[in-house]
Amino acid sequence: MNVLVTGGAGFIGSHLVDRLIELGKNVIIIDNLSSGLKTNLNSSAIFYKMDIRSLNLKKVFQNHEIDSVFHFAAQIDIRKSLSEIEYEIDVNVKGSVNLIVNAAKYGVAETYFASSGGAIYGEQIEYPATEDHPTEPESPYGIDKLTIEKYLFCFKKLYGFNTSIFRFSNVYGPRQNPQSEAGVVSIFANRMLKDKKINIYGDGNQTRDFVYIRDVVDAMVEVYEQKTQGIFNISTGKEATVNEIFHILADELKYGREPIYLEARPGELLRSLLSHDKLKSATGWEPTRDMRTGLRETGEWFKENFK
Ligand SMILES: NC(=O)c1ccc[n+]([C@@H]2O[C@H](COP(=O)([O-])OP(=O)(O)OC[C@H]3O[C@@H](n4cnc5c(N)ncnc54)[C@H](O)[C@@H]3O)[C@@H](O)[C@H]2O)c1
């Protein structure tokens, strides 16, 4: 089986690549290394340093008979999606469509897409949000994730490939890039280890559904191996405040400073909590790592790798 993973040098993509290789798949990675790292690349994978917007993308499909595509490559910064909207649309819409068109043209059997529950549902009206929750994105990033979901279902009808959508909650864990604006856990861990001050925007009581990367990979592999199709939230179904995350990590990493509270940033969600009942019914998957274990493992990894 030849599996193409875009964004395979990034946080979530690289963990999935490792697991697919353990499962004996031939993995081909496309990544432009804009936020991904060479050190995340699995040496058993074939690597193309390439942009998903490239006209040369077709050569990857011509060189390898691709059976499955996991699409993770993206501009992931919600604030940048507002300040650099043309770049956002270029990568997250045009780049994704370029990939999907090639997948259809070269007879790919199945596609999997990294979407975002938090960004697509917007400020929720029901807690936890199921996959049927109204979609009211509050950023171009959310609109573009929803757009690509629609493209995939349209192309599924037109060209007959299978499609599954992963609507992640807030994924955290080893390899999450602390330089990006996306991951509060990695940003906190990195700054705590350097004994730098930490800003919290708002009162810190905003909540997120933090799901650990190892659980996320297990979930994606269940969907892939069981050939389950549809839209699935991948989440814990539990919420934690930013303050709680701060205090558990501070405890694990022996960080003595207090956070600095700044004005809340406009557009930031107050609560985000997603149900994973649909995925559990379809595949039996459930998250198994509690938050302290996940944060401890993440802290340990940052100690080794990000000093
Ligand atoms: N981390 C989360 O909590 C979360 C939540 C919801 C959705 N997602 C989605 O999951 C996917 C992976 O996110 P991540 O957290 O691993 O981010 P990441 O930044 O670590 O990974 C994205 C990868 O895509 C690559 N990339 C970016 N633009 C590219 C382009 N034009 N061409 C080729 N490669 C390009 C980057 O170099 C990077 O390796 C993204 O699509 C993201 O939107 C992540």
Side-chain angles (χ1 to χ4, degrees), residues 10-12 31-32 34-36 51-52 72-74 115 141 145 169 171:
F11 164 46
I12 304 176
D31 198 301
N32 69 354
S34 55
S35 64
D51 198 294
I52 52 169
F72 296 100
S115 186
Y141 172 82
K145 287 290 183 194
S169 59
V171 188

Side-chain angles (χ1 to χ4, degrees), residues 178-248:
Q179 315 309 344
S180 86
E181 281 293 305
V184 66
V185 171
S186 61
I187 294 170
F188 283 2
N190 185 44
R191 296 188 73 82
M192 283 178 183
L193 287 166
K194 292 177 176 154
D195 198 31
K196 288 188 174 171
K197 68 181 171 64
I198 289 179
N199 296 331
I200 291 183
Y201 296 92
D203 62 8
N205 289 322
Q206 62 271 43
T207 69
R208 296 290 179 269
D209 181 332
F210 290 98
V211 61
Y212 192 44
I213 183 67
R214 299 194 200 290
D215 282 322
V216 170
V217 171
D218 290 347
M220 292 190 289
V221 168
E222 287 301 331
V223 172
Y224 171 67
E225 294 217 302
Q226 298 187 35
K227 303 291 168 219
T228 314
Q229 290 186 59
I231 297 179
F232 298 103
N233 290 340
I234 298 186
S235 65
T236 62
K238 293 182 185 145
E239 47 192 333
T241 67
V242 170
N243 283 332
E244 282 173 280
I245 298 293
F246 176 90
H247 289 298
I248 298 174

Side-chain angles (χ1 to χ4, degrees), residues 138-154:
E138 294 184 10
S139 64
Y141 172 82
I143 296 171
D144 295 345
K145 287 290 183 194
L146 197 53
T147 302
I148 297 309
E149 290 191 5
K150 301 282 182 206
Y151 264 103
L152 282 165
F153 283 111
C154 170

Side-chain angles (χ1 to χ4, degrees), residues 6-14 30-37 40 50-53 71-76 87 91-92 113-117 141 145 166-172 175-177 180 182:
T6 73
F11 164 46
I12 304 176
S14 68
I30 293 175
D31 198 301
N32 69 354
L33 299 180
S34 55
S35 64
L37 300 173
N40 289 342
M50 188 183 279
D51 198 294
I52 52 169
R53 296 167 289 176
H71 179 32
F72 296 100
Q75 185 302 107
I76 66 163
Y87 178 71
V91 174
N92 287 0
F113 176 53
S115 186
S116 165
Y141 172 82
K145 287 290 183 194
F166 304 129
R167 287 185 180 165
F168 300 129
S169 59
N170 283 66
V171 188
Y172 72 96
R175 296 187 192 158
Q176 190 163 31
N177 192 337
S180 86

Side-chain angles (χ1 to χ4, degrees), residues 236-273:
T236 62
K238 293 182 185 145
E239 47 192 333
T241 67
V242 170
N243 283 332
E244 282 173 280
I245 298 293
F246 176 90
H247 289 298
I248 298 174
L249 262 180
D251 188 34
E252 290 294 332
L253 299 177
K254 313 274 179 277
Y255 178 75
R257 299 181 189 222
E258 286 301 313
I260 298 163
Y261 290 96
L262 301 176
E263 206 173 313
R265 290 194 273 210
E268 199 180 325
L269 301 178
L270 292 178
R271 280 182 80 190
S272 181
L273 176 66

